[in-house]
Amino acid sequence: MIKVRHLKKVFRTPGGDELTVLRDINCDIEKGEVVSIIGPSGTGKSTLLRCLNRLEEPTSGVIEVDGTDILDRRTDISLIRRRMGMVFQNFNLFEHLTILDNLTLCPMTLLGKSREEAEKRGMELLGMVGLHDKAGCLPGELSGGQKQRAAIARCLAMEPEIILFDEPTSALDPTMVSEVLAVIRHLANQGMTMCIVSHEMQFVRDVSTRILFLNEGIVYEEGTPEQIFENPQKPVTRAFINRIRTVESILENRHFDLYGLFGKIHTFCGKYGLGTKVSDKVEHITEEMLCGIMPFCGPVKLTIEYSEKTSGLTLTFRQENATTTILDNTDEDSLSLMMVRGMSTSVTEPETGTVCVEI
Ligand code: ADP
Ligand code: MG
């Protein structure tokens, strides 16, 4: 239904510099699919959605909707937009119109429906999103979750063939997220074609037929929810999915700055709310590993990874120029090794010279 090839979007910043947000986007959305777009903020997810219905003018590339090139000057973009509904983060309801009037205005003016027809359909749609009794209210009288459900109903009133959702729940109070997601889920079950930008990972996983991970201006990785969530192929995707935070230090030799390193660990743990107990443990393990176990036959690289999803912490000590395995060559009676083992859930050496300690 939608075909995107080599889409590029360059913004000009106020300072006059060029900012390439979308470098080379290629993707397809077929009828009946629910395609979710995920990725770090600022990677151009909104820009991509806005390019799809030309709210944003692409710099170059091809976007076809059912074979029609929408970037062609001769294409009537308002006709294309009518087929593509868009739901925004901030609802964009007409504040001075009642909820029902919000739903009937465009069908009457743009689709040429009679008031009776438009109101009948409007009430059906309000019923579907659970707002039948709010028809006469102004948007200001509704909660955020209700406003967003009304915005979805308004979008449906235009009988779109596809709906683009741009972070539909990110402006909502957490207690109202699920009512909006439930409506979107219902549409998915009915076979509505949708493209959803969202940070609600569990929802994205449940509802999507396909997921695009956007990063560095390209579709960095794409696949089914299982592929993206269970078995992401690229480290950046994996880190995003598991929300892995890392900090790295290179210790050149034995005389490294231990207290400087402790400070860095303390800051890292504080930033992710890990508390002083965890931070003390990480420092203790680091000291035993670096002062009692690592041979320092070259620099040692320490990487600390924290997964916000699993709450797991992994400390990796990588010995450059390692010639022999470290753990096998450490005395089983080594006090340092016993202490590290005692404070962690596992100590392994997946490859020669690299010791992983999991907490
Ligand atoms: P996302 O939705 O993934 O968070 P956006 O598409 O909103 O990302 O923005 C991507 C980048 O493009 C950001 O760095 C943003 O500042 C920049 N950007 C977005 N719109 C404009 C604009 N109209 N002019 C200049 N820069 C913009
Ligand atoms: Mg955005």
Side-chain angles (χ1 to χ4, degrees):
M1 183 180 177
I2 296 182
K3 179 170 151 184
V4 178
R5 292 294 176 272
H6 305 300
L7 178 66
K8 184 172 178 176
K9 176 66 190 177
V10 181
F11 283 114
R12 200 162 281 282
T13 63
D17 295 331
E18 287 192 342
L19 177 67
T20 305
V21 174
L22 304 177
R23 269 198 300 138
D24 185 9
I25 300 282
N26 296 283
C27 62
D28 295 277
I29 302 174
E30 305 293 344
K31 210 167 176 52
E33 272 198 300
V34 179
V35 175
S36 292
I37 302 175
I38 60 172
S41 64
T43 39
K45 302 180 296 297
S46 297
T47 304
L48 174 56
L49 279 196
R50 294 166 63 80
C51 283
L52 290 184
N53 60 7
R54 254 178 71 189
L55 286 176
E56 206 71 74
E57 205 60 46
T59 306
S60 62
V62 177
I63 301 175
E64 283 181 12
V65 177
D66 284 335
T68 306
D69 177 2
I70 69 160
L71 305 184
D72 189 325
R73 303 232 164 268
R74 286 162 300 186
T75 303
D76 182 352
I77 191 63
S78 60
L79 276 178
I80 298 286
R81 275 194 199 131
R82 237 172 265 173
R83 299 165 57 188
M84 287 197 231
M86 184 140 179
V87 174
F88 303 88
Q89 194 174 324
N90 295 317
F91 332 123
N92 290 11
L93 292 168
F94 305 118
E95 292 293 327
H96 61 290
L97 295 182
T98 65
I99 296 299
L100 184 60
D101 287 342
N102 261 280
L103 265 71
T104 56
L105 179 69
C106 292
M108 290 189 321
T109 54
L110 297 174
L111 301 182
K113 285 195 177 184
S114 68
R115 177 170 291 280
E116 296 69 39
E117 225 183 332
E119 288 188 346
K120 182 166 172 285
R121 182 65 183 142
M123 289 309 293
E124 278 172 17
L125 289 168
L126 285 179
M128 196 197 93
V129 301
L131 295 175
H132 203 272
D133 57 348
K134 301 289 180 200
C137 294
L138 289 172
E141 299 171 83
L142 268 55
S143 73
Q146 291 170 333
K147 278 189 214 176
Q148 191 60 300
R149 285 186 280 150
I152 294 171
R154 182 183 60 174
C155 177
L156 290 167
M158 287 299 286
E159 293 160 13
E161 288 167 41
I162 178 170
I163 306 183
L164 313 176
F165 290 90
D166 192 2
E167 300 201 26
T169 60
S170 61
L172 299 177
D173 191 286
T175 57
M176 296 170 185
V177 169
S178 55
E179 65 193 55
V180 171
L181 295 183
V183 168
I184 303 174
R185 209 183 292 263
H186 175 71
L187 293 176
N189 292 338
Q190 289 195 324
M192 186 77 210
T193 311
M194 300 191 281
C195 185
I196 307 172
V197 172
S198 178
H199 285 290
E200 297 288 338
M201 289 298 156
Q202 192 55 50
F203 170 74
V204 160
R205 188 180 179 148
D206 291 347
V207 85
S208 314
T209 51
R210 205 147 48 85
I211 296 173
L212 311 181
F213 175 64
L214 214 66
N215 187 36
E216 295 177 359
I218 58 170
V219 176
Y220 195 80
E221 190 162 345
E222 90 173 83
T224 61
E226 289 70 34
Q227 285 166 339
I228 295 293
F229 282 93
E230 307 287 349
N231 194 18
Q233 297 300 303
K234 298 188 180 179
V236 181
T237 317
R238 194 153 50 237
F240 180 80
I241 295 295
N242 292 317
R243 297 191 297 277
I244 294 174
R245 313 297 180 180
T246 58
V247 62
E248 276 182 3
S249 277
I250 295 181
L251 301 322
E252 290 296 337
N253 54 47
R254 270 185 201 291
H255 308 291
F256 67 92
D257 176 2
L258 182 64
Y259 293 98
L261 182 60
F262 280 179
K264 205 166 163 182
I265 292 171
H266 194 83
T267 307
F268 177 77
C269 291
K271 196 163 154 193
Y272 299 111
L274 296 174
T276 45
K277 233 170 146 177
V278 173
S279 156
D280 286 350
K281 199 185 219 181
V282 174
E283 287 174 13
H284 204 151
I285 291 173
T286 303
E287 182 173 4
E288 293 302 334
M289 284 297 300
L290 292 175
C291 303
I293 298 172
M294 299 307 283
F296 274 98
C297 47
V300 171
K301 183 168 153 191
L302 165 63
T303 308
I304 303 175
E305 288 188 345
Y306 171 62
S307 164
E308 289 190 280
K309 191 177 159 202
T310 64
S311 302
L313 259 171
T314 309
L315 281 61
T316 306
F317 299 84
R318 191 183 150 72
Q319 175 64 67
E320 300 292 336
N321 316 321
T323 46
T324 55
T325 62
I326 293 170
L327 293 180
D328 288 351
N329 287 298
T330 305
D331 203 334
E332 273 303 313
D333 298 338
S334 149
L335 199 55
S336 291
L337 187 54
M338 280 198 275
M339 290 181 69
V340 172
R341 288 220 159 100
M343 286 185 285
S344 60
T345 53
S346 81
V347 183
T348 55
E349 189 168 358
E351 58 183 290
T352 303
T354 301
V355 179
C356 281
V357 181
E358 297 197 33
I359 305 176

mmCIF file of all heavy atoms in Angstrom, residues 321-348:
data_model
loop_
_atom_site.group_PDB
_atom_site.id
_atom_site.type_symbol
_atom_site.label_atom_id
_atom_site.label_comp_id
_atom_site.label_asym_id
_atom_site.label_seq_id
_atom_site.Cartn_x
_atom_site.Cartn_y
_atom_site.Cartn_z
ATOM 1 N N ASN A 321 45.938 -8.084 24.914
ATOM 2 C CA ASN A 321 47.144 -8.917 24.763
ATOM 3 C C ASN A 321 47.154 -10.153 25.668
ATOM 4 O O ASN A 321 48.213 -10.629 26.044
ATOM 5 C CB ASN A 321 48.440 -8.130 25.043
ATOM 6 C CG ASN A 321 48.442 -6.760 24.404
ATOM 7 O OD1 ASN A 321 47.969 -6.610 23.276
ATOM 8 N ND2 ASN A 321 48.944 -5.767 25.096
ATOM 9 N N ALA A 322 45.969 -10.641 26.049
ATOM 10 C CA ALA A 322 45.954 -11.814 26.929
ATOM 11 C C ALA A 322 46.497 -13.018 26.157
ATOM 12 O O ALA A 322 46.165 -13.217 24.991
ATOM 13 C CB ALA A 322 44.532 -12.100 27.385
ATOM 14 N N THR A 323 47.352 -13.796 26.791
ATOM 15 C CA THR A 323 47.913 -14.971 26.130
ATOM 16 C C THR A 323 47.329 -16.252 26.715
ATOM 17 O O THR A 323 47.178 -17.247 26.028
ATOM 18 C CB THR A 323 49.445 -14.991 26.269
ATOM 19 O OG1 THR A 323 49.762 -14.701 27.627
ATOM 20 C CG2 THR A 323 50.074 -13.952 25.359
ATOM 21 N N THR A 324 47.003 -16.196 28.002
ATOM 22 C CA THR A 324 46.425 -17.391 28.635
ATOM 23 C C THR A 324 45.119 -17.002 29.314
ATOM 24 O O THR A 324 44.866 -15.826 29.543
ATOM 25 C CB THR A 324 47.372 -17.945 29.723
ATOM 26 O OG1 THR A 324 47.645 -16.880 30.635
ATOM 27 C CG2 THR A 324 48.650 -18.478 29.127
ATOM 28 N N THR A 325 44.290 -18.010 29.600
ATOM 29 C CA THR A 325 43.025 -17.709 30.265
ATOM 30 C C THR A 325 43.314 -17.194 31.677
ATOM 31 O O THR A 325 44.300 -17.592 32.303
ATOM 32 C CB THR A 325 42.109 -18.947 30.361
ATOM 33 O OG1 THR A 325 42.770 -19.916 31.143
ATOM 34 C CG2 THR A 325 41.777 -19.484 28.994
ATOM 35 N N ILE A 326 42.467 -16.303 32.117
ATOM 36 C CA ILE A 326 42.716 -15.651 33.398
ATOM 37 C C ILE A 326 42.192 -16.490 34.559
ATOM 38 O O ILE A 326 42.908 -16.756 35.514
ATOM 39 C CB ILE A 326 42.098 -14.240 33.394
ATOM 40 C CG1 ILE A 326 42.874 -13.393 32.370
ATOM 41 C CG2 ILE A 326 42.141 -13.610 34.783
ATOM 42 C CD1 ILE A 326 42.270 -12.061 32.071
ATOM 43 N N LEU A 327 40.951 -16.950 34.443
ATOM 44 C CA LEU A 327 40.365 -17.678 35.577
ATOM 45 C C LEU A 327 41.097 -18.985 35.858
ATOM 46 O O LEU A 327 41.356 -19.331 37.005
ATOM 47 C CB LEU A 327 38.867 -17.920 35.344
ATOM 48 C CG LEU A 327 38.000 -16.661 35.344
ATOM 49 C CD1 LEU A 327 36.537 -17.022 35.113
ATOM 50 C CD2 LEU A 327 38.156 -15.869 36.638
ATOM 51 N N ASP A 328 41.466 -19.726 34.778
ATOM 52 C CA ASP A 328 42.184 -20.988 34.984
ATOM 53 C C ASP A 328 43.534 -20.772 35.650
ATOM 54 O O ASP A 328 44.051 -21.651 36.332
ATOM 55 C CB ASP A 328 42.397 -21.702 33.638
ATOM 56 C CG ASP A 328 41.087 -22.272 33.123
ATOM 57 O OD1 ASP A 328 40.103 -22.259 33.894
ATOM 58 O OD2 ASP A 328 41.056 -22.718 31.963
ATOM 59 N N ASN A 329 44.092 -19.592 35.423
ATOM 60 C CA ASN A 329 45.397 -19.315 36.003
ATOM 61 C C ASN A 329 45.325 -18.578 37.330
ATOM 62 O O ASN A 329 46.326 -18.137 37.853
ATOM 63 C CB ASN A 329 46.253 -18.527 35.007
ATOM 64 C CG ASN A 329 46.716 -19.440 33.882
ATOM 65 O OD1 ASN A 329 47.435 -20.407 34.119
ATOM 66 N ND2 ASN A 329 46.248 -19.163 32.678
ATOM 67 N N THR A 330 44.099 -18.424 37.830
ATOM 68 C CA THR A 330 43.974 -17.814 39.152
ATOM 69 C C THR A 330 43.783 -18.951 40.154
ATOM 70 O O THR A 330 42.989 -19.859 39.919
ATOM 71 C CB THR A 330 42.751 -16.866 39.192
ATOM 72 O OG1 THR A 330 42.888 -15.923 38.134
ATOM 73 C CG2 THR A 330 42.664 -16.129 40.510
ATOM 74 N N ASP A 331 44.535 -18.871 41.212
ATOM 75 C CA ASP A 331 44.483 -19.878 42.266
ATOM 76 C C ASP A 331 43.048 -20.007 42.795
ATOM 77 O O ASP A 331 42.406 -18.999 43.061
ATOM 78 C CB ASP A 331 45.412 -19.390 43.400
ATOM 79 C CG ASP A 331 45.877 -20.545 44.244
ATOM 80 O OD1 ASP A 331 45.138 -21.555 44.284
ATOM 81 O OD2 ASP A 331 46.967 -20.433 44.832
ATOM 82 N N GLU A 332 42.548 -21.227 42.890
ATOM 83 C CA GLU A 332 41.198 -21.419 43.438
ATOM 84 C C GLU A 332 41.091 -20.881 44.864
ATOM 85 O O GLU A 332 40.000 -20.540 45.312
ATOM 86 C CB GLU A 332 40.793 -22.900 43.413
ATOM 87 C CG GLU A 332 40.152 -23.348 42.099
ATOM 88 C CD GLU A 332 38.914 -22.537 41.700
ATOM 89 O OE1 GLU A 332 38.034 -22.317 42.561
ATOM 90 O OE2 GLU A 332 38.834 -22.093 40.534
ATOM 91 N N ASP A 333 42.206 -20.807 45.571
ATOM 92 C CA ASP A 333 42.190 -20.271 46.942
ATOM 93 C C ASP A 333 42.313 -18.755 46.965
ATOM 94 O O ASP A 333 42.355 -18.154 48.039
ATOM 95 C CB ASP A 333 43.364 -20.830 47.771
ATOM 96 C CG ASP A 333 43.275 -22.336 47.907
ATOM 97 O OD1 ASP A 333 42.153 -22.861 47.746
ATOM 98 O OD2 ASP A 333 44.314 -22.969 48.159
ATOM 99 N N SER A 334 42.438 -18.162 45.766
ATOM 100 C CA SER A 334 42.610 -16.704 45.722
ATOM 101 C C SER A 334 41.477 -16.011 46.447
ATOM 102 O O SER A 334 40.307 -16.215 46.131
ATOM 103 C CB SER A 334 42.686 -16.246 44.260
ATOM 104 O OG SER A 334 42.148 -14.944 44.141
ATOM 105 N N LEU A 335 41.852 -15.216 47.437
ATOM 106 C CA LEU A 335 40.858 -14.519 48.243
ATOM 107 C C LEU A 335 40.025 -13.588 47.361
ATOM 108 O O LEU A 335 38.808 -13.495 47.501
ATOM 109 C CB LEU A 335 41.576 -13.728 49.345
ATOM 110 C CG LEU A 335 40.721 -13.306 50.535
ATOM 111 C CD1 LEU A 335 40.025 -14.501 51.161
ATOM 112 C CD2 LEU A 335 41.584 -12.581 51.559
ATOM 113 N N SER A 336 40.727 -12.922 46.418
ATOM 114 C CA SER A 336 40.020 -11.991 45.527
ATOM 115 C C SER A 336 38.929 -12.703 44.744
ATOM 116 O O SER A 336 37.787 -12.251 44.677
ATOM 117 C CB SER A 336 40.994 -11.344 44.541
ATOM 118 O OG SER A 336 41.854 -10.471 45.223
ATOM 119 N N LEU A 337 39.288 -13.870 44.153
ATOM 120 C CA LEU A 337 38.313 -14.599 43.338
ATOM 121 C C LEU A 337 37.142 -15.089 44.189
ATOM 122 O O LEU A 337 35.990 -15.022 43.783
ATOM 123 C CB LEU A 337 38.993 -15.764 42.606
ATOM 124 C CG LEU A 337 38.123 -16.505 41.578
ATOM 125 C CD1 LEU A 337 37.529 -15.549 40.550
ATOM 126 C CD2 LEU A 337 38.924 -17.579 40.861
ATOM 127 N N MET A 338 37.459 -15.542 45.399
ATOM 128 C CA MET A 338 36.389 -16.015 46.285
ATOM 129 C C MET A 338 35.443 -14.872 46.613
ATOM 130 O O MET A 338 34.217 -15.043 46.635
ATOM 131 C CB MET A 338 36.977 -16.586 47.582
ATOM 132 C CG MET A 338 37.488 -18.000 47.381
ATOM 133 S SD MET A 338 37.701 -18.840 48.941
ATOM 134 C CE MET A 338 39.327 -18.316 49.412
ATOM 135 N N MET A 339 35.995 -13.696 46.835
ATOM 136 C CA MET A 339 35.146 -12.554 47.179
ATOM 137 C C MET A 339 34.276 -12.151 45.986
ATOM 138 O O MET A 339 33.083 -11.888 46.138
ATOM 139 C CB MET A 339 36.010 -11.381 47.652
ATOM 140 C CG MET A 339 36.605 -11.707 49.005
ATOM 141 S SD MET A 339 37.602 -10.422 49.700
ATOM 142 C CE MET A 339 36.469 -9.187 50.091
ATOM 143 N N VAL A 340 34.882 -12.148 44.791
ATOM 144 C CA VAL A 340 34.105 -11.782 43.599
ATOM 145 C C VAL A 340 32.976 -12.788 43.395
ATOM 146 O O VAL A 340 31.833 -12.426 43.145
ATOM 147 C CB VAL A 340 35.015 -11.705 42.347
ATOM 148 C CG1 VAL A 340 34.181 -11.530 41.091
ATOM 149 C CG2 VAL A 340 36.012 -10.557 42.486
ATOM 150 N N ARG A 341 33.309 -14.082 43.554
ATOM 151 C CA ARG A 341 32.272 -15.123 43.401
ATOM 152 C C ARG A 341 31.165 -14.938 44.422
ATOM 153 O O ARG A 341 29.985 -15.077 44.115
ATOM 154 C CB ARG A 341 32.888 -16.521 43.572
ATOM 155 C CG ARG A 341 33.750 -16.919 42.386
ATOM 156 C CD ARG A 341 33.537 -18.408 42.022
ATOM 157 N NE ARG A 341 33.953 -18.649 40.649
ATOM 158 C CZ ARG A 341 35.127 -19.191 40.309
ATOM 159 N NH1 ARG A 341 35.985 -19.558 41.239
ATOM 160 N NH2 ARG A 341 35.422 -19.360 39.031
ATOM 161 N N GLY A 342 31.557 -14.606 45.637
ATOM 162 C CA GLY A 342 30.579 -14.444 46.718
ATOM 163 C C GLY A 342 29.619 -13.289 46.478
ATOM 164 O O GLY A 342 28.474 -13.312 46.911
ATOM 165 N N MET A 343 30.093 -12.263 45.770
ATOM 166 C CA MET A 343 29.257 -11.071 45.578
ATOM 167 C C MET A 343 28.464 -11.095 44.269
ATOM 168 O O MET A 343 27.687 -10.187 44.012
ATOM 169 C CB MET A 343 30.147 -9.815 45.581
ATOM 170 C CG MET A 343 30.656 -9.453 46.972
ATOM 171 S SD MET A 343 31.577 -7.901 46.937
ATOM 172 C CE MET A 343 33.096 -8.424 46.182
ATOM 173 N N SER A 344 28.678 -12.118 43.432
ATOM 174 C CA SER A 344 28.041 -12.100 42.114
ATOM 175 C C SER A 344 27.224 -13.357 41.883
ATOM 176 O O SER A 344 27.281 -14.295 42.672
ATOM 177 C CB SER A 344 29.123 -11.982 41.043
ATOM 178 O OG SER A 344 29.996 -13.089 41.150
ATOM 179 N N THR A 345 26.449 -13.367 40.795
ATOM 180 C CA THR A 345 25.680 -14.581 40.484
ATOM 181 C C THR A 345 26.477 -15.484 39.545
ATOM 182 O O THR A 345 26.263 -16.691 39.507
ATOM 183 C CB THR A 345 24.320 -14.246 39.826
ATOM 184 O OG1 THR A 345 24.555 -13.393 38.704
ATOM 185 C CG2 THR A 345 23.389 -13.543 40.789
ATOM 186 N N SER A 346 27.386 -14.912 38.760
ATOM 187 C CA SER A 346 28.249 -15.769 37.942
ATOM 188 C C SER A 346 29.531 -15.042 37.550
ATOM 189 O O SER A 346 29.540 -13.812 37.398
ATOM 190 C CB SER A 346 27.501 -16.233 36.676
ATOM 191 O OG SER A 346 27.534 -15.222 35.695
ATOM 192 N N VAL A 347 30.593 -15.825 37.436
ATOM 193 C CA VAL A 347 31.884 -15.309 36.973
ATOM 194 C C VAL A 347 32.340 -16.251 35.867
ATOM 195 O O VAL A 347 32.524 -17.446 36.104
ATOM 196 C CB VAL A 347 32.945 -15.300 38.103
ATOM 197 C CG1 VAL A 347 34.256 -14.691 37.606
ATOM 198 C CG2 VAL A 347 32.433 -14.527 39.318
ATOM 199 N N THR A 348 32.430 -15.728 34.646
ATOM 200 C CA THR A 348 32.796 -16.594 33.526
ATOM 201 C C THR A 348 33.871 -15.931 32.674
ATOM 202 O O THR A 348 34.113 -14.726 32.791
ATOM 203 C CB THR A 348 31.574 -16.850 32.613
ATOM 204 O OG1 THR A 348 31.046 -15.571 32.208
ATOM 205 C CG2 THR A 348 30.485 -17.634 33.321
#
